[in-house]
Amino acid sequence: MPERVAVIGAGALGLIALKSLQEEGFDVVGFESRSHVGGLWKYCEDAALSITAETTIFNTSRYRAAISDFPFAPHIDDFPTAAQILEYLQDYSRHFDLDSKIRLLSKVNSLGRTDNKWILGIVRTDASASSGTEKFDRVIVATGSFGSPKSPSLDGMELFKGKVLHAMNIRHPEQFTGKQVLVVGLHATAQDVTVYLSKYAAKVYISHRNGLLMLPRYAESGATFDQSQNVNSLLRQSQLDWIFPGYFDWISNKNLEKASRKAFPIPNEWCFFPAPSISITGPLRADEIYPLLMSGFAEPVRQTKRIIGPRSVELLDGRVLTDLSAIIFCTGYDMDIPILDDQNPYTNPNEPPNLYRNIFPLHSDPAVRSSLAFLGHAIIPFPGLVMHELAAMSILQVWLGRSPLPPLREMKRWHSCHIASRRALLSKQSTKSTYYVALLPEAEHIFWLDQMAGTGIFAHFGWRSWLSLRAWKFWWAQNDLYQLCRTGFLNPAIWRIFDMGKRKPWKDAPLQIFQDSTLAAHRARQRRLNL
């Protein structure tokens, strides 16, 4: 009898986990508190169910964002809208017959362990509000990284008489018609909020304490900017990051700062440079906010110091903003998994989770380590959903015994080294920077995922491939595909080409790589002609 596995959450991460489990023959059940699959990508009035604005556009292009064996439909934009991402995820669920495995309107409010089984406490979120418990052999928590909203406490907050809210609570932008708004924080959410308000508000001030790298969605060639990474560049970056991490960090930041200055010339008084290292904070795809900044509708200002009146805020440089009707915090989220008691990996919201590779619990009981896993808490600066899919594949290979975890002492050693390296990197920053707790070193993690999931990328393209008969056979028999993988963009389907005896390959992966390459080239030509 197949093992019974629960997946908590049916957003992008949960759907990926469900499909991977089903593919390997597990008896799977998904639990979703909403009335739909697709998670936060469906706009609704309840902020607890959606943080997506109607104007939100995905930061990664369709050529890099897709799940490895499920391409976007031809009509989807180069950079999908929130509605298109939702459509894509719901199509994915239907295509792989996941809908029948998912219980909607079912919230998991507790997770415990008894008699070598995981016990889920489940509450219906419909009118019945009925509750119950169910037993499972294994559990994947796929509730994502948007936990508790961060709303900093500003000195004098009690003096302010306007609206004070977190970005996740913004609904009905018309309420800000003709008003001046202060946005605290400057990154992707601040861009979404500023665009959302642009048809209504009179002025938006954006308070920030750090610099910012801004990159365009498109290169001068007309191709999406994220198509610049291919297998060759991935391998070079991985080798540099592994052998000379300090130099790699420095040269990467220099190159991206140069690209940022070229694509988006800005006044020095905005104080966008120096920006935090990309090892700590990623660049912003700034095409939507840049025109609003240059027009003066949105004005970057220095860090907020304190509230000094019913409608007034003093900045760190002494400037006073007046006639403010609202303060909106675009300051992110604390990672949190409230359904867990003694298994909750977040004991300190400012530190990484107490997990090996940000996936597996560092628990003294090996049965716990091999039956509970977390998706969405291991992030690398790598575009798209495939990094989470590779994590799901890795979990499955561990559970199937094909890729064993190291002993607990080695897992704890990795965690200690990770904490130490984060603190060392933070200490070198010229400004006080927020270091996303889920962020991991890209080179080390992508290599680990490749080995654990068994994708064969490094085996067929890495430096050791020169000693591999299997790699030479691939080069000889499918040279067109080999060359396209090396020099074309890093298509998600690349991770499904090879059968290494672990995760399942996708027979149509080579065809998909060629088709995506043709489509990308066609759209790039069209874009150049339209410029």
Side-chain angles (χ1 to χ4, degrees), residues 249-269:
D249 187 63
W250 175 80
I251 195 66
S252 297
N253 283 293
K254 282 291 183 184
N255 288 337
L256 287 176
E257 181 178 331
K258 182 179 179 181
S260 180
R261 289 182 182 274
K262 180 179 180 181
F264 299 113
I266 58 171
N268 290 333
E269 55 265 29

Side-chain angles (χ1 to χ4, degrees), residues 73-303:
H75 71 275
I76 300 296
D77 297 341
D78 279 350
F79 288 91
T81 64
Q84 288 174 335
I85 291 290
L86 178 67
E87 174 190 342
Y88 172 76
L89 294 174
Q90 293 181 340
D91 286 347
Y92 178 83
S93 185
R94 284 190 292 269
H95 180 79
F96 290 108
D97 192 28
L98 303 181
D99 290 350
S100 62
K101 310 293 192 301
I102 299 168
R103 299 183 194 173
L104 300 175
L105 299 171
S106 298
K107 182 177 182 178
V108 176
N109 64 357
S110 66
L111 175 61
R113 191 164 174 82
T114 303
D115 298 329
N116 219 32
K117 296 282 186 181
W118 291 102
I119 313 299
L120 273 65
I122 304 154
V123 177
R124 291 285 296 175
T125 56
D126 57 11
S128 71
S130 59
S131 62
T133 60
E134 288 196 41
K135 294 182 179 181
F136 291 88
D137 298 297
R138 303 180 194 262
V139 176
I140 292 180
V141 179
T143 50
S145 58
F146 296 103
S148 305
K150 290 183 181 179
S151 294
S153 178
L154 299 176
D155 288 344
M157 185 70 82
E158 70 281 359
L159 300 174
F160 193 72
K161 301 305 180 184
K163 292 179 179 291
V164 179
L165 65 161
H166 191 275
M168 71 175 293
N169 298 113
I170 289 184
R171 298 294 186 273
H172 305 293
E174 61 274 9
Q175 66 181 297
F176 301 101
T177 298
K179 297 178 179 179
Q180 296 194 129
V181 177
L182 173 63
V183 168
V184 179
L186 177 54
H187 213 274
T189 303
Q191 174 170 248
D192 286 346
V193 168
T194 302
V195 172
Y196 199 44
L197 298 177
S198 62
K199 294 181 180 179
Y200 302 95
K203 177 84 172 183
V204 172
Y205 296 100
I206 306 176
S207 171
H208 65 102
R209 69 180 184 184
N210 292 313
L212 178 71
L213 291 174
M214 300 192 299
L215 296 180
R217 293 190 182 275
Y218 291 93
E220 292 179 345
S221 65
T224 60
F225 198 87
D226 55 13
Q227 289 182 48
S228 61
Q229 189 180 42
N230 52 41
V231 168
N232 280 348
S233 62
L234 173 67
L235 295 174
R236 285 196 303 270
Q237 292 163 6
S238 297
Q239 289 168 351
L240 271 177
D241 192 15
W242 206 301
I243 302 170
F244 304 111
Y247 173 76
F248 175 74
D249 187 63
W250 175 80
I251 195 66
S252 297
N253 283 293
K254 282 291 183 184
N255 288 337
L256 287 176
E257 181 178 331
K258 182 179 179 181
S260 180
R261 289 182 182 274
K262 180 179 180 181
F264 299 113
I266 58 171
N268 290 333
E269 55 265 29
W270 289 0
C271 300
F272 280 13
F273 302 105
S277 166
I278 60 167
S279 299
I280 291 176
T281 302
L284 173 68
R285 303 293 180 190
D287 299 69
E288 285 74 47
I289 199 172
Y290 183 70
L292 301 176
L293 295 172
M294 296 305 293
S295 71
F297 167 76
E299 180 183 347
V301 297
R302 296 315 305 264
Q303 183 178 349

Side-chain angles (χ1 to χ4, degrees), residues 501-531:
K502 292 187 178 182
R503 68 94 187 90
K504 295 188 182 302
W506 181 37
K507 65 180 180 60
D508 291 331
L511 176 61
Q512 189 60 48
I513 292 167
F514 283 111
Q515 289 179 342
D516 283 347
S517 179
T518 301
L519 177 63
H522 171 72
R523 289 196 177 182
R525 282 194 300 271
Q526 292 297 115
R527 185 170 182 80
R528 288 198 302 273
L529 291 173
N530 293 334
L531 289 178

Side-chain angles (χ1 to χ4, degrees), residues 352-487:
N354 193 37
L355 300 171
Y356 175 65
R357 303 284 175 175
N358 287 19
I359 298 173
F360 298 99
L362 294 172
H363 197 279
S364 58
D365 185 350
V368 171
R369 299 198 298 273
S370 61
S371 63
L372 176 64
F374 299 82
L375 270 183
H377 302 265
I379 308 294
I380 54 176
F382 193 84
L385 296 172
V386 76
M387 65 174 165
H388 301 299
E389 187 184 12
L390 292 173
M393 293 174 184
S394 299
I395 293 167
L396 268 293
Q397 298 314 308
V398 169
W399 288 358
L400 292 166
R402 299 168 185 162
S403 295
L405 291 173
L408 179 60
R409 64 181 181 277
E410 292 184 24
M411 295 168 70
K412 288 184 174 181
R413 186 182 305 121
W414 175 88
H415 187 263
S416 298
C417 290
H418 176 51
I419 296 287
S421 66
R422 281 175 56 93
R423 290 174 178 169
L425 187 57
L426 266 176
S427 69
K428 298 175 183 177
Q429 301 304 304
S430 58
T431 59
K432 185 180 180 182
S433 304
T434 300
Y435 197 158
Y436 190 37
V437 297
L439 201 58
L440 295 171
E442 180 177 7
E444 179 192 359
H445 193 62
I446 201 74
F447 180 77
W448 181 84
L449 289 172
D450 170 75
Q451 299 300 301
M452 296 296 285
T455 69
I457 295 299
F458 284 83
H460 286 82
F461 298 106
W463 68 268
R464 291 184 180 178
S465 65
W466 296 100
L467 306 175
S468 168
L469 179 61
R470 181 177 189 143
W472 279 106
K473 286 182 177 178
F474 174 62
W475 172 83
W476 178 259
Q478 301 185 65
N479 193 258
D480 287 349
L481 178 60
Y482 177 90
Q483 297 299 337
L484 184 57
C485 290
R486 275 206 174 273
T487 60

